[in-house]
Amino acid sequence: MPQMMRMPGPDELPPGTRRAFVAELFFHYTEAGRPTLARVAATTRSMTDAFPVSRETIRRLLRGESIARWERVDAVLRALCEIGNQDPDRRRWQETGDWNDDGDPATCRQHLRQLLYEDIDEVQPELPPTPSAVPPPRSSGGWGGTPPTPTGGWGSTPSQPKQDDPWATSPPSSTPSTGGYADEPPF
């Protein structure tokens, strides 16, 4: 007895363009009643404008193990639609007349072809940038900075980089009237 094909799980076929393509092809496979691969292959040979596709190629397409030229994929789609009494050139998303109808006029054939080409070109959906795993370098002064060196105070070592923050790099003023700090802010 032939083994029934099933859609690969996310652990077998991770999310991405290949999974989107396989999911669409699998939609037509289940719509046709999950025919045997031998029946699909035989249908590709017997159709008008036949383009024979082997059972192994069909299996690999449905498992997401490989991609094929559009002519092969189209032959598999037409065979599945013939078995399921469907038109491959019908509108993929039927109009509902509802307020949220997306109005996409793409046919099943056009949509599958677009997904195949996105998989070939490896077009990935845009994701928001992920935060860097490396923390930014710590400043050498200011809040949370390194304490003054015992041999010269804030910023006195020549190897220390110059900071943009005047509060972090300015040494304390020696004005005696305010306890060692200037009355004016450094900006």
Side-chain angles (χ1 to χ4, degrees):
M1 180 172 194
Q3 183 179 4
M4 185 164 301
M5 294 289 298
R6 63 176 183 80
M7 176 71 187
D11 55 329
E12 299 168 298
L13 186 61
T17 56
R18 175 74 46 94
R19 185 168 185 80
F21 168 75
V22 171
E24 182 65 18
L25 190 59
F26 224 88
F27 167 78
H28 297 288
Y29 175 72
T30 56
E31 197 173 52
R34 294 180 184 258
T36 64
L37 300 182
R39 181 174 179 200
V40 178
T43 305
T44 63
R45 287 189 299 274
S46 66
M47 293 184 306
T48 308
D49 299 328
F51 193 95
V53 181
S54 71
R55 288 183 298 175
E56 181 61 17
T57 299
I58 297 166
R59 184 193 69 77
R60 291 173 55 119
L61 283 170
L62 287 169
R63 297 288 304 151
E65 295 172 357
S66 70
I67 55 175
R69 290 186 16 221
W70 170 244
E71 292 81 8
R72 290 195 195 300
V73 174
D74 186 48
V76 172
L77 172 67
R78 288 185 301 122
L80 291 172
C81 287
E82 185 173 309
I83 293 168
N85 294 322
Q86 298 290 330
D87 179 11
D89 292 316
R90 73 185 186 279
R91 187 174 170 183
R92 173 60 176 91
W93 292 273
Q94 299 300 318
E95 289 186 65
T96 61
D98 200 0
W99 64 272
N100 64 351
D101 183 18
D102 64 359
D104 187 354
T107 66
C108 294
R109 183 178 285 176
Q110 292 168 335
H111 184 64
L112 187 63
R113 187 176 192 164
Q114 180 65 36
L115 291 173
L116 173 68
Y117 290 157
E118 286 176 3
D119 184 36
I120 291 170
D121 296 334
E122 295 182 359
V123 174
Q124 297 297 327
E126 289 193 27
L127 300 173
T130 56
S132 174
V134 178
R138 292 185 58 172
S139 70
S140 60
W143 293 98
T146 57
T149 59
T151 60
W154 290 96
S156 65
T157 59
S159 64
Q160 188 174 15
K162 182 131 177 94
Q163 300 291 322
D164 291 334
D165 185 3
W167 289 98
T169 59
S170 297
S173 173
S174 59
T175 309
S177 64
T178 59
Y181 293 98
D183 291 334
E184 294 290 325
F187 48 101

